[in-house]
Structures are given as C-alpha cells and as structure tokens.
Amino acid sequence: MARALHAPKSTQRVEHAGKNGFKHPRERQVAARAILTPEQTETKQVERRESVKKCRLITAIKTPYLKNGKFDLQAFDRLVELQANHGVEGIIVGGTTGEGQLMSWDEHIMIIAHAVNNYGNQIKIIGNTGSNSTREALHATEQGFAVGMHAALQINPYYGKTSEKGLITHFEAVMDEGPCIVYNVPGRTAQDITPRVVEKMAGHPNFLGMKECTGNERISNYSAKGITCWSGNDDEAHDARHQAGATGVISVTSNVIPGLFAKLMAEEDGELANKVAPLANWLFREPNPVGINTLMAMTGLVKPVFRLPYVPYSKELREEGVRILNDLGLDNIPGVSEVRAMEDDEFTILSRY
C-alpha cells in the first residue's frame, strides 16, 4: 500500500539548484546522501558489507509506543541498549515485528535515523525499506542510506505479485542503492523467492544474503553454494546455524532473551535450544507481532499500547506466558524483574494515532 514519503527537511533545498531553486527528485536524493553520509572508498564499502554478513544475531526490534500511539523513543533506546549489551550485533528497524507496515514513511525513516544516530557505532542498523512498489522501495531505501543505515531489508512485492523476471529486476533496482538482505517469507507474501531467482541475484555486489523462512533444507543448499543466510524461524535457528550452515538468525524472541540467543548462535547447545523452545513457540501462537507485543507489555519493557489491527493475547494465553517465563528464569530477561498476566483493561488499543 502506498505511503507518503518526504525527504528530511534539511535535504529538501540544495545549493546551486536548477530551475525554480529545486533539483530533480533523483538529484535531490544524491545530494542528501552526500550531505548526511560521507562518501566511502570501495574498500570501505566492502568492509561495510562484510561486517553485516558476519552478524550472527540480529534482532527484529519491537517499536514501543506512548499512550497516544506515537513512538516512545525513551523505551526504544532502552531496548536497543539492552540488545547491544547482551550480544546482539544488529537490529532490523521497522520490520514486521517493529510494525513498519503501520508506519508512515516519515515515521519509518525517522526511527531508522534515530537508531543510526544513537547506536550506529555499536551495532548494525538495518532498515526495512522494502515495498510492493518498486518506486516506493527505491525512495525509502535512498532515504535510509541517506541517514546512515548499514543495510536494507527487502521483501518481494506482495499481493500485487510479479513474475520471476519482475522479481529479479525489482531486487536489482533496490540493490543498486546499497547493501541489501532479501527476505523470503511466503507465508506473508504468498510468493516464494525460488532458488533460481536467488542464484541469479547473488552476483550483485550489494546482495548480502537471504533471510530465509522456508526451512533449513533450503538454507543448507544455499550455504553449500556460498550464499549467506539468516534463519527467519526462531524455532529452527539453532539447527540452522550449527547444522545447515546459516550465518545466524534474524530473531523475534531475542527481543526478550538476547543473551540466550547469542549463546545459541555462538555454540551448539541442544539443551539450551530445548529450554528456549517453549517461549519461541508461545510467541507465534498468533501471527507476529501479536505475541511479542503482548509479552513485552507483560514484562514492563514497553507500555501496553497496541496499534490496530493488533490486539493482545487472551488472558488465558498471557497466564501461560507468565508460567513459561518463570520457568525460563527472569534472570535471563535483561531489564525485567517481574512478569504479569495483566488485566484486559490495562491495554490501550488505538485505531487512530
């Protein structure tokens, strides 16, 4: 769905402009990139790409809200600091878990810029700037790189699906803007990005790899061909890393147990994988991000505010979540000393924000 997107105010007017004082939009974006992010040598660009490809644990970070539905940046900063201090090497900003699909593009670029400015020297900031419109994906990705994100996450066009050739052309267009992780999640897009498509894209210098949700068999096949992969399935991530050759995981569960997931990615530990499995499974009892939104409110890490169409888990499911977290041990959840099932009337559910 189309979303309005405006350039940051500081980049709208440029010096030595053409007719009427403004350059063509494409020229304006090039100017913005030059102003906000220093030009990099080819060596630096390669180093930047390789540093992202080495990340084992990337968290699809939750976006917290104030009671009026606007971003709670203080809570966001606390979440990112907890991640950075417990072994997380990168975050996806404005992904499905971060509810980028409910943001205006102005909100989206703002939260990416905020993350870069405050934490870009500590962890990799990967902005979810994909879209089912190539034009929007290009514009948002230009903006994201203009404000300094390290890489982009790119989804294949959903609902209005395209052909195999269209997929390749779409992804090559956005990869021309900078380093990209391509996200394959047929359960949401209703279209698989097939190995044939991936192998054709893999030669692009800005192709970093796949966030792959179709399972470890495909990850194993990609890894054997030298294609970098991150598992998109928390329940399969341990085996993906240690048996299928994945670099790591782009995780939802690591929002609450970053340290344990960092251990799972660092060394093979089937016992620990089994220990965290009940929590990972509980978080996906309903479509993501419903579970993580509910749990983070229950722990007090974020205010219990939901933007519709998302609503919290039922009281029965919340009580089950309390038992799972207590069994796991609250000492494994940074920043949390108590978890509550909460009452239904403690949640704020917003249709306008």
Side-chain angles (χ1 to χ4, degrees):
M1 182 177 291
R3 291 185 278 171
L5 179 63
H6 306 288
K9 290 181 180 179
S10 61
T11 66
Q12 290 258 355
R13 181 173 290 276
V14 294
E15 294 182 2
H16 311 298
K19 186 178 179 181
N20 299 323
F22 287 89
K23 289 186 178 180
H24 184 275
R26 174 74 180 181
E27 294 173 334
R28 194 160 66 237
Q29 293 310 313
V30 172
R33 190 182 300 125
I35 291 167
L36 294 174
T37 55
E39 289 294 329
Q40 294 185 331
T41 64
E42 179 60 29
T43 300
K44 287 292 185 182
Q45 291 175 20
V46 171
E47 290 175 354
R48 187 184 184 98
R49 290 194 292 264
E50 291 302 312
S51 68
V52 176
K53 291 174 72 172
K54 291 177 181 178
C55 291
R56 293 180 179 177
L57 178 57
I58 300 171
T59 295
I61 197 78
K62 155 74 178 160
T63 304
Y65 303 118
L66 300 168
K67 283 199 170 183
N68 62 6
K70 305 301 182 184
F71 294 161
D72 186 345
L73 293 179
Q74 184 175 4
F76 180 85
D77 289 351
R78 181 168 179 249
L79 294 179
V80 178
E81 287 168 6
L82 290 171
Q83 296 288 305
N85 291 336
H86 288 84
V88 173
E89 297 158 284
I91 56 173
I92 304 291
V93 179
T96 305
T97 305
E99 299 182 14
Q101 62 275 14
L102 303 187
M103 297 177 188
S104 70
W105 278 118
D106 288 338
E107 288 181 311
H108 212 135
I109 299 303
M110 183 276 284
I111 196 71
I112 292 171
H114 178 83
V116 169
N117 290 335
N118 288 280
Y119 302 103
N121 291 328
Q122 298 178 50
I123 57 176
K124 304 304 178 187
I125 308 300
I126 303 163
N128 173 35
T129 55
S131 172
N132 57 351
S133 160
T134 306
R135 177 176 178 270
E136 281 198 5
L138 283 170
H139 196 178
T141 302
E142 287 176 341
Q143 294 268 312
F145 284 120
V147 298
M149 68 183 184
H150 297 91
L153 183 70
Q154 297 289 338
I155 194 75
N156 51 310
Y158 45 88
Y159 189 71
K161 297 183 289 185
T162 186
S163 63
E164 183 176 287
K165 183 178 179 180
L167 283 176
I168 294 169
T169 307
H170 169 86
F171 284 125
E172 287 180 342
V174 292
M175 286 190 290
D176 284 346
E177 299 299 326
C180 295
I181 296 171
V182 175
Y183 182 15
N184 188 33
V185 56
R188 290 186 179 272
T189 65
Q191 183 180 41
D192 185 22
I193 305 173
T194 65
R196 184 165 60 180
V197 170
V198 173
E199 288 166 20
K200 288 180 178 179
M201 296 189 298
H204 195 290
N206 281 327
F207 175 80
L208 298 181
M210 297 296 297
K211 177 185 177 183
E212 185 57 65
C213 296
T214 61
N216 287 348
E217 182 178 354
R218 186 173 293 186
I219 288 175
S220 180
N221 291 336
Y222 284 148
S223 298
K225 295 177 179 179
I227 295 172
T228 300
C229 283
W230 292 267
S231 175
N233 300 326
D234 284 356
D235 58 339
E236 298 179 343
H238 173 266
D239 289 353
R241 167 80 179 105
H242 299 291
Q243 298 174 22
T247 293
V249 63
I250 296 176
S251 174
V252 175
T253 310
S254 58
N255 273 282
V256 286
I257 52 170
L260 293 185
F261 253 78
K263 289 180 181 178
L264 281 180
M265 294 300 100
E267 56 188 44
E268 189 167 5
D269 189 338
E271 184 177 346
L272 180 57
N274 291 333
K275 183 178 179 180
V276 304
L279 175 59
N281 292 332
W282 181 88
L283 284 171
F284 292 90
R285 294 281 284 275
E286 292 180 4
N288 185 52
V290 175
I292 194 65
N293 287 355
T294 303
L295 186 65
M296 295 185 78
M298 291 164 54
T299 60
L301 288 169
V302 303
K303 295 177 175 62
V305 179
F306 281 66
R307 286 182 172 185
L308 280 172
Y310 304 119
V311 296
Y313 273 2
S314 67
K315 180 70 175 294
E316 181 180 8
L317 268 179
R318 299 197 300 268
E319 289 172 343
E320 181 182 340
V322 170
R323 292 192 293 271
I324 289 172
L325 280 192
N326 283 328
D327 288 345
L328 188 60
L330 296 186
D331 55 326
N332 290 310
I333 309 172
V336 174
S337 58
E338 179 186 22
V339 57
R340 299 172 47 242
M342 304 180 64
E343 300 298 330
D344 290 344
D345 61 7
E346 292 183 76
F347 291 92
T348 299
I349 301 171
L350 301 172
S351 59
R352 296 180 184 273
Y353 38 84

